[in-house]
Amino acid sequence: MRARHSVRRRGISRASVALSIAAALLGGFALSQEGAGAAGSPGGKGHAAHALQGVGTAALSGVGTKDLKAWQAARLANDRLRGRHKLVVRRATPTPGTAPTPGTAAKPGAAVNPRTAVKSAVATPAAARPGAGSVVPAVARPRAAAASAATALVLYDTTGPYGYLGELYAMAAANLAGHFGTVTAKPVSAYTAGMVDQYTSTVYIGSTYYGGGVPDAVPAAFYRDALATTHPVTWIGDNIWGMAGAVGVDTFKQHYGWDPTNSFYAPGGSVGNITRVSYKGQQLTRKIPAGYDGGVLYPALVSGPGYPQVTRLAEATDANSGDTSPWAIRSGNLTYVGEIPFTYVSESDRVIVFEDLLFDGLAPATAERHRAFVRLEDISPKSSPGELRAAADYLYGQKIPYGINVIPVYTDPKGVYNNGVPETVTLAQAPQVVSALKYMLAHGAVLMDHGYTHQYSNVNNPYSGVTGDDFEFFRAHVDAADNVVYDGPPAEDSTVWAQSRVTSALAGFAAAGLPKPALWTTPHYAASATDYRVVGQNIPARLERSLYFAGTLSGAPVDAGRYIGQFFPYAVKDVYGTTVLPENLGNYEPEPYNNHPARLPADLVAAARANLAVRDGVASFFYHPYYGTTALQQTVDGIRALGYTFVGPGDLSQ
């Protein structure tokens, strides 16, 4: 697309989250990046909107992506050895009395460093250190959490050469569980007897395939307790066969109706080509590049007198053979998910199954409800007042409340869109735009802060240095293959630096006579853990996809090079202690960019359809007013036809 007075927008790529997201692969999901610079030129159009690194690819940082292939290869090698009964598994024997730390095994009952047991999803203030909990403001508390006061325990692996992946996956699970109440996350090696009975539900993420040179760090007490408890236990990925071995294979089979010791990721010598997961009538996608697919465990179900019925919750389909097999199963108190679903995710991905299954353990009485939300993106002092009013009139006429993401200062430090002459315009210097914003606020809009300048310094980051085009709180560049690569936080990133930008942004709204924004969306969704926490000190909730960094749960120094990207189908309390509202559909983008295909109304509607599988989920997307209202109307009509009801952002946490 070519803007009326600007260069072609080039948007940025994003997750899979989450998680991290195009270069990120730390085992998490990818995020879709928010729209790049609707304000990037005098015509109001800059580079194409992009997804946060990871959608369609891994949800991890570049370091994680590089490790993912080797990690999966090591897991499958162990799986083959186990299938031939040649996998030697030793019990971990740490020094007595030492605290478990990432990368080490812990003796059951050993002293636990309190910084490794983070209460992650209850209201940790943004300024507080992980684990410092406080009361969640009622206005920001997700509905399920307020109603059920559920408590979740998330256990994760930390040992082996890729032990850090366990923490990344645990953050993804803990963030989702933060929708329901309080969450405690800790290494599984720190588990002590009886702990599962202290929580409403427990989730264990098996990311380290124990055997060979990596001793089994799962305490025997957890294996026993998972069988004995009546509380729900969700087991994801590896080591379920360790539990069967610990409690007795026959005992496990009689209790659960299947045999993990005879279940493998590649029973025929190959993981196959599973590309679809069926759940609750929805066909969900699974797109993993060759060489990075660790497979889905094929559970060996047993039948006959004395064996309980196993419920097949979701079905995986192999695109080559057409064969189907269980992707998730349940019997008794145990739900088993056959893979960690946080890598290579998209808006219609199989991670949706896990997002919904959490309701069964933490809020089973939740009624079916489907809401939708739209925000207008990248509005700046250089936006067209007429385009803003046209979008407002359409949404108001449809009785649709909406958000408006506003950048208070537009700057083009190199004059890219101004004939080489530097230009900066504040909202106070753009009275017609401010008038249009006030008109929008009087016609159903909620004001949201979209950074301070939505760009960084006077350098390309990665495109032009102009507001709306570039990252503000993260550095990035475009490589020779036209991929956006995340380089990490700026050198000056700190609490003081981030606070100065937030303070300046809020001052910009006040100087223009506008109210304090109710929500925040990080430019291009990418920031450091420090920045996200600073935002939480100033604004009660973010509406976005986010990055989550290694060290956040463990209490170790935060590693800016290892992170996972994530987006959500409902409001959560994340591990930074902030309420995060969902954006899980992406945005309308009529042209491809940075190796991302165009994204049309039909694509957004298809993603909304897939998310109907979440029993109380939200279909949330964003739209740039400079595209006119035709595509907006097509998207709104399509989502409404699915049975969604559009609500305002303030309703998303209810």
Side-chain angles (χ1 to χ4, degrees), residues 275-294:
T275 60
R276 189 172 77 246
V277 174
S278 304
Y279 178 67
K280 293 173 62 172
Q282 300 301 325
Q283 300 299 313
L284 307 176
T285 56
R286 183 179 185 271
K287 300 178 181 179
I288 301 178
Y292 290 87
D293 190 352

Side-chain angles (χ1 to χ4, degrees), residues 420-438:
V421 179
E423 180 182 25
T424 296
V425 183
T426 68
L427 281 174
Q429 295 168 330
Q432 291 185 329
V433 172
V434 172
S435 177
L437 294 177
K438 291 180 177 179

Side-chain angles (χ1 to χ4, degrees), residues 32 179 306 590:
S32 105
H179 174 68

Side-chain angles (χ1 to χ4, degrees), residues 35 51 203 305 477 629:
V203 175
H477 71 276
T629 60

Side-chain angles (χ1 to χ4, degrees), residues 391-406:
D393 287 341
Y394 165 70
L395 293 171
Y396 184 72
Q398 293 294 310
K399 297 181 172 57
I400 294 177
Y402 58 100
I404 50 174
N405 248 352
V406 180

Side-chain angles (χ1 to χ4, degrees), residues 26 102 114-121 124-126 128-132 156 164 166-172 174-175 183 185-187 527-533 542 546-564 573-578:
L26 290 178
R115 297 184 72 193
T116 66
V118 178
K119 292 252 181 149
S120 58
T124 311
R129 198 173 78 180
Y156 58 98
Y164 71 90
E167 182 184 8
L168 297 178
Y169 296 134
M171 287 190 286
N175 287 337
V183 182
K186 61 173 60 184
S528 70
T530 294
D531 302 336
Y532 289 126
R533 289 193 173 104
R542 307 193 316 270
S546 301
L547 302 178
Y548 296 94
F549 296 84
T552 300
L553 295 183
S554 68
V558 171
D559 187 341
R562 291 177 171 177
Y563 54 80
I564 185 170
K573 199 75 173 180
D574 75 358
V575 295
Y576 299 138
T578 306

Side-chain angles (χ1 to χ4, degrees), residues 308-332:
Q309 180 68 37
V310 176
T311 300
R312 298 166 70 125
L313 300 170
E315 292 287 323
T317 299
D318 189 299
N320 295 341
S321 66
D323 293 340
T324 62
S325 59
W327 188 87
I329 58 177
R330 178 180 296 143
S331 58

Side-chain angles (χ1 to χ4, degrees), residues 76-257:
L76 291 175
N78 272 355
D79 204 53
R80 287 190 291 270
L81 288 173
R82 184 169 65 87
R84 298 197 299 267
H85 307 288
K86 293 183 177 181
L87 182 65
V88 177
V89 182
R90 298 175 291 109
R91 296 295 304 167
T93 54
T95 302
T98 58
T101 57
T104 64
K107 178 180 178 181
V112 178
N113 181 340
R115 297 184 72 193
T116 66
V118 178
K119 292 252 181 149
S120 58
V122 195
T124 311
R129 198 173 78 180
S134 66
V135 178
V136 182
V139 68
R141 185 187 296 273
R143 181 182 71 138
S148 66
T151 58
L153 174 63
V154 175
L155 301 171
Y156 58 98
D157 294 323
T158 58
T159 57
Y162 311 110
Y164 71 90
L165 292 174
E167 182 184 8
L168 297 178
Y169 296 134
M171 287 190 286
N175 287 337
L176 291 167
H179 174 68
F180 302 91
T182 63
V183 182
T184 298
K186 61 173 60 184
V188 68
S189 57
Y191 181 87
T192 56
M195 197 174 286
V196 293
D197 290 325
Q198 300 170 23
Y199 297 87
T200 306
S201 183
T202 295
V203 175
Y204 165 61
I205 304 167
S207 63
T208 297
Y209 197 128
Y210 297 118
V214 184
D216 184 356
V218 178
F222 179 60
Y223 285 142
R224 294 192 300 267
D225 288 356
L227 178 81
T229 187
T230 58
H231 292 219
V233 174
T234 299
W235 196 296
I236 305 172
D238 299 341
N239 307 318
I240 186 67
W241 44 87
M243 174 181 169
V247 303
V249 176
D250 287 339
T251 297
F252 188 101
K253 290 194 296 185
Q254 290 169 1
H255 206 78
Y256 295 120

